[in-house]
Amino acid sequence: MAQTAGNSPGDLVYAELLARPGEQFPQPRLEPVRRVAELLGDPQNSYPVILLTGTNGKTSTSRLTESLLRALGLRTGLFTSPQLERFNERIIIDGEPIGDDTLALVWADTKPYVEMVDAELAVADEPPLTFFEVMTVLAYAAFADAPIEVAVMEVGMGGEWDATNIVAAAVSVFTPIDLDHVDRLGRTIAEIATTKAGIIAAGGDVVTSRQTSEALDILAVRAHALHDPLLVEGTDFAVMSSTMAVGGQVISLRGLSGTAYEDVMLPLYGSHQAQNAAVALAAVEAFTGRRAIVRDVIEEGFGQVTIPGRLQLLSATPPVYLDAAHNPHGARALAASLTEFFAFDDMALVFSSLDDKDTTGVVDALAHSASVVFVTESSSERSRSVSELAEIIHERAPQLTVVRGASLQDAVEGAREWATQGESRGVLVTGSVILLGEVMALARTQGWSLS
């Protein structure tokens, strides 16, 4: 999402990076990123890194992992993407987004070397460093300057050639692998898993959620070849139970150490979040030598975690929730959470989707979660048109009422007005991370946001 134009130091850095090739055009290469990092003194090698990839659950698992590490008393760095509202959200130092002045200082130190590598690429007739490549180097440099004691880095796309993969990860973490970005990563789960398995480095631990047999086989082969232990959910660690509770769920987990962590509050909804918590706990146990973690640390780490845009309550009257589901796997998890944790008689969707996403698959997954859909467009040039979205929904879910929003504001206001006309109605904004950020900004501007 393009944040509001401004003249703050952070806004100016963001504007410079936006002039580069965007995140939708990743380059399958690592050498230029390594070259910039080398010129900077290889800041990524000054602290251990936990590297996470997968199709869904990466951001949630990254945030849960970082929160547990911080509860252990470690000074942390967290790198995730995309942002919902401001670029600074992507680079978190000890629990707080990087400050504008700090960001500007790191960019001032980094920019000459970025331009040097751009010139080298031009001579080789290659594209300049991309937005994501530069942003990744900025994160590594900012963490070294802080300084931090451990970084949790969320892979952008794939793994093997992703810009984050210029480190030998202490722990390589895999959330569920499914079909997404098939034009870039491969058209089968095995092909996608092969690309993602490229983050596994010799000498580290490998932690993975439950996977399909195709994906797990690929990870096992890679881990075995590098003599790394492969630690699998359901075998080496597990979710023992999950019970709905006010504000989230109460979970019991079995860790790598064999310790049972029983009846811990997790302020997140959905069985997939319990699984993300189990993977995060296993990652932290692996990082700390597979020792049991004190219960107070678990409670603090999980209790303080916030994950914007994951069944986030934006407004209470009427209830408006945000969820970043933008592919079929994520949409299926969202639909299951709505059935398991919410008891609305009726639900409206405010829906938008980008043209490189499997919109049909998302609509199929959410078709029985609502009765009316307010379709709209985000500001992205890749946003599908309202008419195209309406046609897809009419074809795939003819039972749904489709309302075409003349604008984003009209769609949101229409959905909120619809929700006030019944006693147990809710609104869910979903389909695009860009859409979520713009609705959050709209709600704050109009004064109906809880935050």
Side-chain angles (χ1 to χ4, degrees):
M1 171 188 174
Q3 62 196 47
T4 303
N7 293 318
S8 76
D11 292 334
L12 297 176
V13 172
Y14 184 55
E16 286 197 62
L17 267 60
L18 280 178
R20 295 182 168 273
E23 291 173 275
Q24 69 272 33
F25 305 114
Q27 293 296 318
R29 63 189 185 187
L30 281 179
E31 287 311 311
V33 185
R34 285 199 179 105
R35 173 70 171 144
V36 178
E38 179 185 26
L39 291 169
L40 282 167
D42 285 322
Q44 76 280 6
N45 294 334
S46 60
Y47 42 81
V49 173
I50 298 175
L51 196 55
L52 293 97
T53 190
T55 301
N56 286 293
K58 290 186 299 183
T59 299
S60 294
T61 306
S62 296
R63 285 181 172 271
L64 285 159
T65 301
E66 184 274 340
S67 190
L68 284 172
L69 291 166
R70 193 155 29 90
L72 278 170
L74 296 172
R75 185 167 169 81
T76 59
L78 173 65
F79 177 74
T80 63
S81 59
Q83 79 263 24
L84 284 171
E85 294 189 86
R86 295 203 75 224
F87 174 74
N88 308 54
E89 298 168 23
R90 301 189 184 213
I91 302 173
I92 307 292
I93 298 174
D94 215 26
E96 296 294 333
I98 188 170
D100 276 351
D101 291 341
T102 301
L103 178 60
L105 286 171
V106 176
W107 174 233
D109 290 341
T110 305
K111 183 177 178 179
Y113 302 111
V114 169
E115 292 176 340
M116 187 181 303
V117 173
D118 279 342
E120 295 171 357
L121 289 168
V123 170
D125 200 26
E126 292 187 30
L129 289 159
T130 68
F131 175 99
F132 188 80
E133 288 173 327
V134 174
M135 180 183 67
T136 301
V137 173
L138 272 177
Y140 279 130
F143 294 157
D145 286 351
I148 63 162
E149 294 172 282
V150 55
V152 179
M153 302 288 294
E154 178 189 332
V155 170
M157 185 183 295
E160 180 181 15
W161 42 260
D162 187 81
T164 56
N165 195 30
I166 59 170
V167 295
V171 184
S172 303
V173 182
F174 295 86
T175 63
I177 296 171
D178 208 298
L179 298 176
D180 198 16
H181 300 296
V182 294
D183 57 329
R184 299 280 181 177
L185 304 180
R187 300 196 171 275
T188 67
I189 289 177
E191 290 176 346
I192 293 172
T194 299
T195 301
K196 293 183 183 295
I199 71 167
I200 299 175
D205 284 336
V206 183
V207 173
T208 181
S209 67
R210 294 180 185 272
Q211 302 285 359
T212 63
S213 58
E214 301 98 314
L216 188 60
D217 286 347
I218 296 294
L219 299 183
V221 167
R222 171 77 174 181
H224 179 75
L226 296 173
H227 306 289
D228 290 346
L230 178 64
L231 308 166
V232 183
E233 180 191 354
T235 302
D236 300 286
F237 62 95
V239 178
M240 298 191 297
S241 67
S242 169
T243 305
M244 184 170 61
V246 175
Q249 56 190 307
V250 175
I251 61 175
S252 295
L253 307 177
R254 173 170 56 82
L256 293 177
S257 62
T259 303
Y261 305 95
E262 297 184 353
D263 299 330
V264 177
M265 180 65 191
L266 181 69
L268 304 171
Y269 297 103
S271 58
H272 63 293
Q273 294 291 15
Q275 293 170 333
N276 291 337
V279 173
L281 175 60
V284 173
E285 283 189 321
F287 180 73
T288 57
R290 305 191 199 180
R291 294 191 299 271
I293 298 175
V294 176
R295 181 182 177 86
D296 287 351
V297 170
I298 303 291
E299 291 179 340
E300 179 184 349
F302 287 161
Q304 70 186 358
V305 74
T306 57
I307 306 179
R310 272 64 178 180
L311 275 175
Q312 174 188 349
L313 180 62
L314 180 64
S315 170
T317 308
V320 178
Y321 288 86
L322 307 173
D323 195 272
H326 58 270
N327 58 40
H329 186 276
R332 289 192 295 270
L334 171 58
S337 297
L338 292 173
T339 299
E340 184 178 3
F341 286 86
F342 296 89
F344 292 112
D345 291 339
D346 220 350
M347 178 76 76
L349 301 183
V350 176
F351 184 70
S352 179
S353 182
L354 302 182
D355 58 18
D356 59 349
K357 297 299 180 181
D358 182 0
T359 306
T360 297
V362 173
V363 169
D364 288 347
L366 296 176
H368 299 290
S369 297
S371 59
V372 57
V373 182
F374 291 79
V375 292
T376 186
E377 298 175 27
S378 70
S379 63
S380 172
E381 61 185 15
R382 295 183 291 137
S383 186
R384 290 188 186 272
S385 69
V386 166
S387 59
E388 186 178 4
L389 288 173
E391 289 175 8
I392 291 172
I393 295 170
H394 281 311
E395 178 183 346
R396 306 299 300 187
Q399 78 279 9
L400 293 176
T401 299
V402 178
V403 179
R404 304 185 185 208
S407 66
L408 173 63
Q409 182 170 330
D410 287 342
V412 173
E413 290 180 351
R416 294 181 71 233
E417 174 63 24
W418 172 91
T420 64
Q421 296 173 5
E423 292 186 1
S424 182
R425 288 181 170 183
V427 176
L428 174 65
V429 181
T430 192
S432 163
V433 175
I434 297 172
L435 173 70
L436 266 59
E438 292 177 351
V439 172
M440 290 173 70
L442 176 67
R444 190 172 294 111
T445 299
Q446 296 188 339
W448 51 269
S449 172
L450 287 174
S451 58

